[in-house]
C-alpha cells in the first residue's frame, strides 16, 4: 500500500507537506505568523491536490509540537489531530527544532534558535545522527535570553554552527518517517510550550481608599 | 353513542375555553390566546363533538419553512376519557403533520400525568428531554417527547459543530433539527484559582480535549465520522487564541472527510439552539444572552438573515460580575452558583445596590446596554466600609441584594426590548441562565407582560457544540453556500 504522510508545522509560519512513500510530493510555507487559522485548511487541501492525493489516501500524520509561539503552534496541532481522526490515521508528534536540525549535517555541534518573543529564543543543540538519520540532542529544547544562552554554551566549551531557522514540513515529515523506521516515533502528541501560562492567582483588591 | 372529529372553527371557541379551564385550571390559556391559536394560518385544530357538545380538542402547529410540527395542546372532557378520543385526535394530527411534510412532531407533557405519556409512547413518541418546573405555578416538570415520521428521502443534514470560544470545548452533532449529541469538556476548574477565565489556559485545554470530545460525541450520536455531512465552527465572538483551536480543528476535519464547512456566529448560535428543542424558532424573538463573556440583547427577526444587536455590556459581563463579587465575599469560583446559594436565605431588599444604566438620562444612548462595574464597586465598598467599622457583614443579604440588582437590570431591559419592538417572546441563553433568581424573575415578569419565555435546557444554554451544529444545519437547509476555507477568527465578530 502506498504510504501517504501529511506533515504539518505551525511553530513559526504555516508549513504543510505531503510525502508519498518517503518522497516529498508537495510542500508549502506561509511565513506570516498571524495567519495560521486562515491558512491551515487551504494549505492542507492544496498540498493534497498538488501531490495528486485525496484526504482518504493519507495513511499517517506528523505534526510539529513546538516549541513555538503558543497561539499559532496550537492551530497546527489541532488541525493534525482532527485530520487524523477524520481519516482514522495514526498521528506522530515531532519536535519542531529537531526538524530544523534534521536538515543539517550535524557533523559539528549545531545550535537551532527560533524566536520565542519577549526577547527570548527557543533553542536546541545537536550533534550527530542515528543510523536512521534522527538528530542527537546535546541540549534543549529550552527557552532563554540569547545572550544568557551564549554565555552558558561558551562556559561549557561548546563551539557551534547556527542552523537555518525556518521549519520545513517536508523535513519534519522525513524526520517523522526516520523516527518511525527506528521505532522512536512519538505517538503522544502534546504541545511543547516550555512556558507556563501567564497568570497570577487572584488577590483581593480594595476599592475604597 | 358515537362522536365526530372535525376541524375547529371560531364558533367552537366558547366550548373549547370551557373545557380548557376545566382541564388545565390556572395553567390554562386565555381566551384571546386560544382564539389566536385557532385562527392562525400555521395551526390545525380539531374538535371531537357529539351532537352540540365538544368532548375534546387538539391542535397542531406546523410552519411551512420548518420540517417539524408541534402538538400545541390536547384535552378531553373528564366524563369522556378512556374512550379513545384522545388517541383519535392525536392520530388525526399526526396524519395532518405528515401531509404537511413534517418529519418530526414534538410535544410537552406534564411529568405527573402518566396516562397521556403512555398514550404518546404507544403512538411512537419517545422521551427526549425533561424541563424542570416547566408548568407554573405548580412547579411540575415537562417531559419533551418526539415522534419521528419516517421519510424515504434524507432531507436533514448531519452536522458536527465545534465550539471553543471560551472555556468549554463543545462538540455537538445534529441531524437537521434533531439533537444527536452534545458533549462538553470544561476547563473551569483550572481557572478557579485565578478567579476568572485565563485565555491561555482555556486554549491549552481545548487542544487537549479535542480528540476525546469528538470521539465521545460520535459515540453518543451512534454514527461514524463518515456519516457527517458538514462541519460548523464558531469563528467569533470569543477569545481569539481559543477560537483558533476550534477553527484549525474544524477546517482540517472538513478537508479530511471532504465535506463543507460553515463558520458560525457564537451569539446567533445561542438562539439557534431553541430549534433543537422545539423543531423551529418562533420569530421575531428577543434573546438575552448572559454569561461570563457576554451580556447581550439581540432582536432576531430572522435567524439567518436579520439579527440585530440591540445592546450589550459596556464593561463587565454579568457572569464576570458574579465571579468578582464572589471573591469580595470570600466565596469560590465560579461565583454564580455560590452567590445563588448564599443569597437563598438573604434579604434581596436589605441593600439597594445601583442598577447600571437604568436612569432616565441613560435611556437614549444606553437603553439596551448594560454596565456592572459601578454595581461591583458599590458592593465592594459596602463590604469594606462595614469591615472597617468592625461590623458583621451578612453575606446572605449582600449576595441576595447584589443578585437582585443584576437580575432586575437584565430582565427589565429584556422586557423593554420586547415591548419597544412589539415582540411577544424572549429566549434566554448563556451560563448565567443557571441562576435561579434570573429564571424566577424572568418567568414572573414575562407572564405579567404577556411575553412568551423560552429557557432551553441548561446543557444547551451554556456554551456548547450542539448550538453551533444547529445553526450550521439551518444554513444548509436554507441553501446557504459553505464558507470559504480561508476564513479567520474574530474576537468581536458582529451578529
Amino acid at each position: 500500500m502506498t504510504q501517504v504522510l501529511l506533515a504539518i508545522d505551525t511553530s513559526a509560519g504555516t508549513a504543510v507537506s505531503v510525502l508519498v512513500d518517503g518522497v516529498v510530493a508537495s510542500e508549502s510555507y506561509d511565513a506570516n505568523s498571524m495567519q495560521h487559522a486562515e491558512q491551515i485548511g487551504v494549505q492542507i487541501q492544496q498540498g493534497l491536490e498538488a501531490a495528486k492525493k485525496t484526504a482518504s489516501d493519507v495513511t499517517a500524520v506528523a505534526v510539529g509540537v513546538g516549541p513555538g509561539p503558543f497561539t499559532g503552534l496550537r492551530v497546527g496541532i489541532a488541525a493534525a489531530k482532527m485530520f487524523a481522526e477524520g481519516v482514522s490515521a495514526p498521528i506522530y508528534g515531532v519536535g519542531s527544532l529537531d526538524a530544523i536540525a534534521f536538515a543539517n549535517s550535524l557533523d559539528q555541534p549545531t545550535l537551532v534558535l527560533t524566536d520565542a518573543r519577549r526577547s527570548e529564543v527557543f533553542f536546541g543543540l545537536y550533534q550527530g545522527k542515528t543510523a536512521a538519520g534522527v538528530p542527537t540532542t546535546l541540549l534543549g529544547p529550552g527557552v532563554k535570553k540569547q545572550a544568557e544562552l551564549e554565555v552558558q554554551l561558551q562556559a561549557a566549551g561548546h563551539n557551534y554552527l547556527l542552523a537555518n531557522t525556518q521549519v520545513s514540513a517536508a523535513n519534519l515529515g522525513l524526520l517523522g518517517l526516520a523516527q518511525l523506521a527506528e521505532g522512536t516515533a512519538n505517538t503522544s502528541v502534546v504541545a511543547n510550550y516550555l512556558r507556563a501560562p501567564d497568570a497570577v492567582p487572584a488577590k483581593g483588591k480594595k476599592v475604597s481608599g | 353513542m358515537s362522536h365526530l372529529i372535525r376541524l375547529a372553527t371560531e364558533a367552537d371557541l366558547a366550548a373549547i375555553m370551557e373545557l380548557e379551564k376545566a382541564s388545565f385550571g390556572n395553567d390554562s390559556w386565555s381566551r384571546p390566546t386560544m382564539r389566536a391559536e385557532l385562527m392562525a394560518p400555521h395551526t390545525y385544530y380539531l374538535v371531537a363533538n357529539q351532537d352540540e357538545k365538544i368532548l375534546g380538542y387538539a391542535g397542531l402547529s406546523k410552519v411551512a419553512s420548518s420540517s417539524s410540527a408541534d402538538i400545541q395542546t390536547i384535552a378531553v372532557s373528564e366524563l369522556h376519557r378512556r374512550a379513545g378520543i384522545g388517541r383519535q385526535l392525536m392520530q388525526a394530527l399526526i396524519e395532518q403533520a405528515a401531509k404537511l411534510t413534517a418529519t418530526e412532531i414534538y410535544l410537552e407533557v406534564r411529568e405527573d400525568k402518566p396516562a397521556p405519556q403512555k398514550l404518546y409512547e404507544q403512538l411512537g413518541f419517545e422521551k427526549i428531554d425533561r424541563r424542570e418546573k416547566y408548568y407554573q405555578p405548580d412547579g411540575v416538570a415537562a417531559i419533551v417527547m418526539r415522534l419521528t415520521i419516517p421519510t424515504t428521502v434524507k432531507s436533514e443534514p448531519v452536522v458536527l459543530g465545534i465550539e471553543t470560544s471560551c472555556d468549554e470545548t463543545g462538540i455537538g452533532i445534529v441531524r437537521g433539527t434533531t439533537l444527536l449529541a452534545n458533549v462538553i469538556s470544561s476547563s473551569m476548574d483550572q481557572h478557579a484559582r485565578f478567579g476568572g477565565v485565563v485565555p491561555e489556559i482555556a486554549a491549552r485545554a481545548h487542544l487537549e480535549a479535542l480528540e476525546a470530545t469528538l470521539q465521545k460525541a460520535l459515540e453518543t450520536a451512534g454514527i461514524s465520522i463518515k456519516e457527517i455531512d458538514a462541519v460548523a465552527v464558531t469563528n467569533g465572538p470569543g477569545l481569539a487564541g481559543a477560537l483558533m483551536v476550534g477553527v484549525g480543528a474544524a477546517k482540517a476535519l472538513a478537508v479530511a472527510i471532504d465535506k463543507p464547512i460553515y463558520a458560525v456566529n457564537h451569539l446567533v448560535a445561542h438562539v439557534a439552539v431553541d430549534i433543537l428543542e422545539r423543531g423551529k424558532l418562533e420569530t421575531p424573538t428577543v434573546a438575552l444572552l448572559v454569561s461570563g463573556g457576554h451580556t447581550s440583547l439581540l432582536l432576531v427577526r430572522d435567524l439567518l438573515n436579520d439579527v440585530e444587536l440591540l445592546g450589550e455590556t459596556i464593561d463587565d459581563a454579568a457572569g464576570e460580575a458574579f465571579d468578582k463579587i464572589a471573591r469580595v465575599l470570600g466565596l469560590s469560583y465560579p461565583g454564580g452558583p455560590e452567590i445563588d446559594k448564599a443569597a437563598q436565605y438573604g434579604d434581596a431588599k436589605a441593600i439597594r445596590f445601583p442598577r447600571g444604566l437604568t436612569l432616565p438620562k441613560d435611556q437614549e444612548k444606553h437603553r439596551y446596554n448594560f454596565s456592572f462595574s459601578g454595581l461591583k464597586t458599590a458592593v465592594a465598598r459596602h463590604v469594606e466600609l462595614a469591615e472597617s467599622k468592625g461590623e458583621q457583614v451578612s453575606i446572605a443579604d449582600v449576595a441576595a441584594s447584589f443578585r437582585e440588582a443584576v437580575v432586575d437590570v437584565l430582565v427589565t431591559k429584556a422586557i423593554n426590548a420586547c415591548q419597544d419592538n412589539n415582540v411577544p417572546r424572549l429566549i434566554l441563553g448563556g451560563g448565567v441562565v443557571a441562576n435561579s433568581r434570573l429564571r424566577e424573575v424572568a418567568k414572573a415578569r414575562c407572564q405579567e407582560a404577556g411575553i412568551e419565555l423560552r429557557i432551553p435546557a441548561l446543557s444547551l444554554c451554556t456554551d456548547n457544540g450542539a448550538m453551533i451544529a444547529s445553526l450550521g444545519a439551518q444554513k444548509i437547509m436554507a441553501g446557504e453556500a459553505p464558507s470559504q476555507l480561508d476564513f479567520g477568527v474574530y474576537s468581536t465578530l458582529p451578529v
Side-chain angles (χ1 to χ4, degrees):
Chain A
M1 195 177 83
T2 308
Q3 186 206 49
V4 179
L5 177 77
L6 172 68
I8 297 171
D9 184 281
T10 55
S11 64
T14 305
V16 174
S17 178
V18 176
L19 294 87
V20 179
D21 286 333
V23 177
V24 178
S26 73
E27 187 179 8
S28 65
Y29 187 78
D30 183 279
N32 191 328
S33 62
M34 302 290 284
Q35 291 279 309
H36 301 100
E38 288 82 350
Q39 280 296 318
I40 192 72
V42 178
Q43 280 182 239
I44 295 173
Q45 192 174 53
Q46 291 175 352
L48 287 166
E49 278 167 19
K52 299 193 166 49
K53 294 290 170 194
T54 64
S56 57
D57 293 331
V58 173
T59 55
V61 178
V63 64
V65 294
F70 314 149
T71 306
L73 177 65
R74 273 189 290 266
V75 173
I77 301 176
K81 283 183 172 199
M82 291 302 252
F83 192 97
E85 289 287 332
V87 298
S88 303
I91 178 170
Y92 305 100
V94 178
S96 299
L97 300 179
D98 300 353
I100 297 171
F102 176 81
N104 294 269
S105 76
L106 306 187
D107 293 340
Q108 298 179 57
T110 303
L111 183 65
V112 175
L113 296 179
T114 59
D115 183 7
R117 297 180 186 165
R118 301 186 214 161
S119 56
E120 290 189 325
V121 291
F122 293 121
F123 66 91
L125 185 66
Y126 302 84
Q127 185 175 22
K129 292 180 181 179
T130 65
V134 177
T136 306
T137 307
L138 300 180
L139 191 68
V143 62
K144 259 197 170 70
K145 295 222 184 302
Q146 190 166 347
E148 283 173 25
L149 175 66
E150 279 164 8
V151 169
Q152 184 192 342
L153 292 176
Q154 274 162 14
H158 282 302
N159 287 312
Y160 52 85
L161 294 173
L162 220 49
N164 173 8
T165 55
Q166 182 174 313
V167 189
S168 142
N171 286 332
L172 186 126
L174 290 168
L175 173 54
L177 292 173
Q179 288 171 330
L180 267 174
E182 67 171 25
T184 57
N186 189 359
T187 52
S188 98
V189 180
V190 179
N192 194 8
Y193 295 111
L194 294 181
R195 280 187 191 132
D198 278 333
V200 281
K203 287 191 297 248
K205 193 175 74 182
K206 284 250 180 283
V207 295
S208 51
Chain B
M1 267 190 290
S2 67
H3 56 268
L4 188 79
I5 293 197
R6 61 163 173 82
L7 267 173
T9 68
E10 200 175 2
D12 298 317
L13 185 59
I16 287 176
M17 279 313 294
E18 203 181 309
L19 191 45
E20 168 84 9
K21 285 199 183 107
S23 305
F24 301 112
N26 50 17
D27 196 25
S28 56
W29 288 354
S30 67
R31 191 186 168 93
T33 303
M34 183 63 84
R35 187 178 177 282
E37 272 288 307
L38 290 180
M39 307 312 291
H42 62 275
T43 61
Y44 182 78
Y45 271 78
L46 297 173
V47 291
N49 74 324
Q50 190 176 56
D51 306 323
E52 295 305 307
K53 208 170 150 47
I54 301 287
L55 308 183
Y57 60 90
L60 178 87
S61 165
K62 164 80 175 67
V63 182
S65 60
S66 166
S67 62
S68 62
D70 286 296
I71 302 292
Q72 300 287 81
T73 182
I74 177 165
V76 176
S77 109
E78 193 145 21
L79 292 170
H80 298 85
R81 287 184 194 162
R82 299 180 173 277
I85 296 173
R87 178 183 295 267
Q88 284 173 15
L89 285 167
M90 283 297 293
Q91 282 169 336
L93 291 186
I94 294 168
E95 266 182 46
Q96 179 65 18
K99 262 188 218 162
L100 296 169
T101 70
T103 53
E104 284 160 345
I105 306 179
Y106 290 82
L107 63 79
E108 285 137 8
V109 57
R110 283 175 70 111
E111 194 180 39
D112 59 1
K113 295 267 174 78
Q117 283 175 41
K118 202 173 152 203
L119 167 65
Y120 303 147
E121 273 175 350
Q122 286 168 356
L123 289 166
F125 282 83
E126 48 176 340
K127 293 179 182 174
I128 56 164
D129 200 1
R130 180 175 181 275
R131 305 257 182 77
E132 200 67 55
K133 296 179 184 151
Y134 185 81
Y135 296 97
Q136 295 299 345
D138 303 354
V140 173
I143 303 294
V144 181
M145 300 183 80
R146 176 182 66 208
L147 172 70
T148 307
I149 302 173
T151 48
T152 45
V153 191
K154 187 186 168 192
S155 58
E156 302 192 297
V158 176
V159 182
L160 179 130
I162 299 179
E163 153 65 33
T164 64
S165 70
C166 191
D167 62 341
E168 326 268 8
T169 312
I171 298 192
I173 303 175
V174 307
R175 177 179 277 118
T177 60
T178 309
L179 177 65
L180 300 184
N182 181 24
V183 180
I184 296 165
S185 165
S186 176
S187 59
M188 192 169 73
D189 294 347
Q190 297 179 51
H191 304 287
R193 69 194 177 99
F194 303 105
V197 174
V198 179
E200 177 61 21
I201 292 177
R204 289 185 181 194
H206 288 311
L207 185 62
E208 280 156 29
L210 273 178
E211 290 153 300
T213 310
L214 172 70
Q215 285 160 5
K216 197 168 170 212
L218 289 168
E219 192 187 304
T220 308
I223 63 165
S224 87
I225 208 158
K226 291 187 172 58
E227 291 173 67
I228 292 165
D229 296 314
V231 177
V233 63
T234 311
N235 76 323
L239 304 169
L243 288 166
M244 279 186 218
V245 176
V247 167
K251 287 181 174 180
L253 181 61
V255 173
I257 60 176
D258 194 21
K259 294 290 158 61
I261 187 166
Y262 288 80
V264 158
N265 182 297
H266 177 88
L267 293 178
V268 180
H270 267 301
V271 183
V273 85
D274 197 32
I275 296 167
L276 299 177
E277 288 193 336
R278 302 238 286 189
K280 62 171 190 289
L281 180 75
E282 296 271 9
T283 50
T285 185
V286 167
L288 172 65
L289 308 177
V290 212
S291 69
H294 307 284
T295 307
S296 311
L297 268 176
L298 306 185
L299 172 55
V300 183
R301 295 186 195 90
D302 180 283
L303 184 67
L304 299 179
N305 303 307
D306 193 353
V307 180
E308 183 187 342
L309 178 70
L310 295 175
E312 61 189 337
T313 182
I314 59 169
D315 40 57
D316 289 343
E320 245 177 313
F322 274 98
D323 292 338
K324 288 176 179 171
I325 292 309
R327 252 157 65 197
V328 168
L329 295 176
L331 304 171
S332 51
Y333 175 89
E338 292 293 317
I339 286 183
D340 218 15
K341 217 186 316 166
Q344 211 177 338
Y345 302 106
D347 177 5
K349 290 184 180 145
I351 312 134
R352 172 79 192 177
F353 287 127
R355 269 67 169 159
L357 301 181
T358 56
L359 296 175
K361 71 178 170 69
D362 300 320
Q363 293 308 300
E364 196 179 330
K365 215 176 140 198
H366 292 300
R367 184 161 175 81
Y368 305 126
N369 285 338
F370 302 91
S371 167
F372 297 105
S373 66
L375 168 62
K376 199 178 65 193
T377 307
V379 177
R381 271 184 197 284
H382 175 88
V383 172
E384 284 168 18
L385 193 66
E387 278 168 352
S388 72
K389 287 188 198 155
E391 291 168 10
Q392 182 80 25
V393 178
S394 162
I395 291 180
D397 284 351
V398 174
S401 302
F402 161 72
R403 182 181 68 169
E404 197 66 14
V406 174
V407 166
D408 184 22
V409 173
L410 290 173
V411 176
T412 301
K413 294 202 174 220
I415 289 188
N416 285 347
C418 289
Q419 290 175 334
D420 297 349
N421 294 285
N422 272 322
V423 171
R425 54 187 77 84
L426 172 66
I427 176 170
L428 305 187
V432 178
V433 174
N435 191 288
S436 62
R437 186 66 185 151
L438 173 60
R439 292 202 301 242
E440 217 171 87
V441 173
K443 270 177 200 160
R445 295 215 207 144
C446 279
Q447 197 167 19
E448 235 170 71
I451 292 166
E452 183 199 5
L453 178 67
R454 286 285 305 142
I455 307 179
L458 197 56
S459 61
L460 296 174
C461 278
T462 51
D463 290 350
N464 65 85
M467 67 187 200
I468 306 305
S470 177
L471 182 51
Q474 289 299 307
K475 286 171 179 268
I476 294 167
M477 290 189 285
E480 263 190 38
S483 304
Q484 296 292 316
L485 207 47
D486 62 352
F487 64 84
V489 308
Y490 302 94
S491 54
T492 57
L493 184 71
V495 297

